[in-house]
Structures are given as structure tokens and as C-alpha cells.
Amino acid sequence: MIQRLYQAGFSIVGRYLTGSVGTGSAKKAKNLTSDEISKLTAAGFSIFPIYEDGGYEVSYFTESQGTKDAYLAAYAARALGFPDGTVIYFAADLDLQDGDIEGTVIAYLQAVRASLTDLGYKTGLYGTRNVCLHAAESMGISNFFVANMSYGWSGNLGFPMPKNWCFDQFVEYTTGSGVDIDQDASSGRDSGTKKFKSTGGVTADEALKYILGNTNLQIGGKYVQTIGPFKVTWLATNEVADKSSSNIVTISNNELPEADLTAILETKYKLPDWIGHLTVDGIGKWGISEKIKKGNFELEIGDSKDGEFSFKLKYYVYQVEKGPLSETLTIEIDVTFNKSDFDNWPTYDPAESFGITLAATLSVAVIISMAPAIAGSASAAGVVAAFVALATKFLTNNKG
């Protein structure tokens, strides 16, 4: 069939990354395989990827589903060897009315793009002309696979083709080999992929060992470390980043964006920029972000309760020096401490604290003072002394 299609003039094949069709005994996989890639490319075809594991009902299109689908599609594409920069077309395979598009497909696509970009791929859309036009105007999406074959859908009636269309689906028929195909036109904007490099990616366990060194921490597990009065809980999970969080920044080329993180500390936790700069420097000295080539970082500071304070550092890892990950990895560090455990609890005058949140101020003091201990160059006593000195300074002097 492959040879027959190529001889008939076809040159590009669109294939699903995941999923199945049919039910019961008629159910069969519809996903692209490495064996199929080899046969198609050997015959001269290039391939573009489509993601559709749902998308037939309005209720499917939510932000949370978009985040989930972005990861599933990206890891499937990576396993098959699609290179960075490949456009993945996410399907909206239904006839949405004009007033229903922004709150459904557009919200979904925004969540897809927020995660997919960090994972190395570009966001495309399969849908009616109207849905594609909305995505172009609302989001600047510039790669479309237009569902023109559904000519009776209202989303195709009276609407022009989007300017940035890549593929135009217009007829379905059965080939001489008994296989149904949808015949599409190509604008030439997306020529597909001919060269695949399937490395399988770096596993979460491999990345975890690379980042933390010799540690007993495994995916789904945790271990607890006590440094003086500070309880440190390390966790490794497959949690995905919530890109709607206002606390998330992007790690790029092993560096935290100082300006972005300082801005979060200043706007959300009311910390002056001089404390923000010291905090970013302290986080960097933990040595974790410098092992992450591409990822996200999130800082969560809890409110004080009954004298107990807490904060979390979360690292969402997408790529290390060895290569992109084949699955999700999140390293979470939870730190708690209680003022009753300190002989020299720092005193402060709320009237002179300049609106600084107490929990945030003390938490960043811990972040900075614990950095040498995490790196193995400070004792527990040294950490406590450093914390007391820093906390007292932060609470009484806004000029550093």
C-alpha cells in the first residue's frame, strides 16, 4: 500500500501519536510505530504527527486536559524520534458554535502550548475553519490542519480558509489495498519529518540520579533529612507543572531567571528586590537548577501556623545534558521549622518590617542559609547560626 500511494503522487502522511479505534473485539491500535516510520521514510514519505485521544465533545476541552495532552503527545513524539520544533496537530473534532470556542478549545490550546513549548514542540490545530480562525486571532497559532471534509459543519460554512493553513482535508476513500485514507492538500508550510532519531529519551530515574547524585530517592518515594531544627523532605514524582500558577518560572540552559523570580517574591510575598536577589542566589547554590537544561521552577511559601513555618521548592525537569526526558519528573523539597526549636529566635518589630510577610522572610533566610549544607560544606550548627543572623537582618533592615 505504501508503494502504491507513493507512486500515485502522495508524499506526506499524517499519523496519530497515540490511541485506538473501535470497541470490543473490533478495537485496534491507531498509533504510529517505529516500524511504520521506517517503511514510510524508506519509500520517500515524510510524516506529520496528530494527537487525538478525545476531542469529540465540548466537555473534553479544559485547561487541565490540555496540560495532560501536551505531555502525552510530547513524550510519544519524542519516543518515535520527531525532532524539536515539530508541529503536533491537536484535534478539535467537532462542530463548535461560534460563541463556544473561546472558553473551550482556545482555553485547552493555551494550556497545551504552555506545556508543549517547554517540551520542545510546536502547537498546531486540527479543526473547522472557524475554530482555526479563532485560534489564529486569539493565540497567534500559525499551523492548521483544516477539517474541510466535514463540509456540512457550521464551522466550515461561509468561513474563509485560515491564512496559515498547512493541510486541507477534503475527501475519504478506500485504497486498492483496502485501507481507508483521508486525502489532503498541502500548502507547503509543513513538509513533515523525514529524519527520525529515536533515542527513547532519558528516563526519570536516570535524570534523578544525574541531578541529585548518589541518592536512594526513587520516583514515587521520599526521604527525610534533618538539618538542625529544619526538617527537609525530598520527593520525586511524575507530577506535571500547573502553568496557570503565578509562582512558576522557566529554567533555561541550567539557569534560573533572576528577574522573574525576584518579581514573584516582590509582588506576591512583598519582599524587596535586594532580598529577592539573595534568595535567587541561595536557590542556585542548592545545585539543582544548574543540572537542568530545560524545565520549570516553582516556589511555594506557606503561612505560619502555631509557630510553624514551611515552604516548597519544586523542579519540573524536561531536559538534562544527556537529552530530553521520556517521561515526567518533578523533584520537590519541603522544608518545615518551628520557632520553639530555636534558642535565639529572631525578634522583630512589625512596625519596622515594611510590610514584609513574616513567613516569606524567614523562609528565604532558610533557603539562603541551607545552601552550603545541601552542598555538603556546612554543619547543622552553622546553618542555624546563619539562619538566625539572616532572619534578624531581613526583619530589621530593608536596605541590606
Side-chain angles (χ1 to χ4, degrees):
M1 183 195 70
I2 289 173
Q3 291 295 334
R4 186 175 298 176
L5 288 174
Y6 192 76
Q7 291 168 4
F10 293 96
S11 59
I12 307 174
V13 174
R15 289 288 285 111
Y16 295 106
L17 288 170
T18 63
S20 61
V21 293
T23 59
S25 60
K27 185 176 181 179
K28 59 183 178 180
K30 68 175 183 180
N31 61 288
L32 177 65
T33 65
S34 295
D35 181 60
E36 186 182 347
I37 287 174
S38 297
K39 289 182 169 67
L40 286 168
T41 54
F45 281 102
S46 61
I47 306 168
F48 70 90
I50 307 160
Y51 182 85
E52 184 173 15
D53 263 344
Y56 316 113
E57 298 178 355
V58 175
S59 59
Y60 181 86
F61 294 99
T62 64
E63 290 183 5
S64 61
Q65 188 66 53
T67 299
K68 177 182 177 182
D69 287 355
Y71 281 88
L72 292 172
Y75 290 133
R78 186 70 65 195
L80 290 168
F82 282 99
D84 279 359
T86 298
V87 178
I88 301 176
Y89 295 87
F90 289 78
D93 205 353
L94 73 171
D95 187 19
L96 279 170
Q97 300 302 304
D98 196 72
D100 296 331
I101 296 172
E102 293 295 327
T104 57
V105 172
I106 300 305
Y108 167 86
L109 279 179
Q110 287 171 335
V112 167
R113 186 168 65 179
S115 294
L116 197 67
T117 300
D118 287 334
L119 297 168
Y121 294 104
K122 295 181 179 179
T123 303
L125 169 65
Y126 168 87
T128 64
R129 294 183 178 198
N130 192 22
V131 168
C132 292
L133 290 169
H134 272 266
E137 182 176 353
S138 298
M139 300 178 55
I141 295 290
S142 57
N143 297 91
F144 299 108
F145 183 4
V146 185
N148 268 329
M149 188 171 69
S150 301
Y151 53 83
W153 279 1
S154 64
N156 286 328
L157 296 175
F159 293 98
M161 284 285 283
K163 292 181 180 179
N164 294 325
W165 71 274
C166 299
F167 302 104
D168 174 15
Q169 180 189 47
F170 60 86
V171 67
E172 179 183 2
Y173 55 85
T174 301
T175 68
S177 300
V179 175
D180 294 339
I181 68 166
D182 296 337
Q183 185 170 339
D184 311 321
S186 170
S187 68
R189 295 191 70 253
D190 185 346
S191 57
T193 298
K194 282 190 173 182
K195 294 183 178 180
F196 291 79
K197 186 178 181 181
S198 179
T199 60
V202 180
T203 68
D205 282 323
E206 290 172 337
L208 186 63
K209 185 175 182 180
Y210 168 74
I211 294 168
L212 298 184
N214 294 323
T215 174
N216 293 324
L217 186 61
Q218 296 180 333
I219 305 301
K222 69 177 181 180
Y223 73 86
V224 179
Q225 181 181 19
T226 300
I227 301 176
F230 305 110
K231 179 182 177 182
V232 186
T233 303
W234 296 75
L235 303 96
T237 70
N238 296 120
E239 180 184 353
V240 299
D242 177 7
K243 294 302 180 64
S244 65
S245 170
S246 60
N247 284 14
I248 286 184
V249 298
T250 298
I251 300 173
S252 181
N253 293 320
N254 315 96
E255 291 185 2
L256 283 165
E258 181 171 332
D260 293 343
L261 193 51
T262 300
I264 290 173
L265 292 169
E266 185 173 1
T267 57
K268 186 165 185 176
Y269 298 110
K270 311 304 179 185
L271 300 178
D273 59 0
W274 68 269
I275 292 183
H277 293 309
L278 290 175
T279 306
V280 175
D281 184 60
I283 292 171
K285 288 180 179 177
W286 285 51
I288 297 176
S289 57
E290 66 184 19
K291 296 287 187 70
I292 301 171
K293 191 169 184 179
K294 186 182 292 185
N296 286 122
F297 172 77
E298 184 174 16
L299 172 62
E300 298 179 2
I301 298 176
D303 295 329
S304 59
K305 184 178 180 182
D306 298 328
E308 185 173 88
F309 301 83
S310 66
F311 65 89
K312 294 180 181 180
L313 308 179
K314 287 186 177 182
Y315 297 87
Y316 303 94
V317 187
Y318 309 134
Q319 185 173 344
V320 293
E321 290 300 327
K322 187 178 178 181
L325 270 65
S326 61
E327 55 189 332
T328 55
L329 168 62
T330 297
I331 300 171
E332 179 179 321
I333 308 160
D334 297 351
V335 180
T336 59
F337 56 102
N338 196 295
K339 68 178 184 180
S340 63
D341 294 327
F342 292 85
D343 295 328
N344 298 309
W345 181 254
T347 59
Y348 70 99
D349 182 352
E352 297 180 356
S353 66
F354 304 94
I356 299 172
T357 303
L358 175 62
T361 302
L362 297 176
S363 293
V364 298
V366 177
I367 290 172
I368 296 169
S369 61
M370 283 183 63
I374 298 299
S377 60
S379 65
V383 171
V384 175
F387 163 73
V388 171
L390 281 169
T392 302
K393 180 178 181 179
F394 286 0
L395 289 167
T396 59
N397 183 359
N398 77 324
K399 296 181 181 179

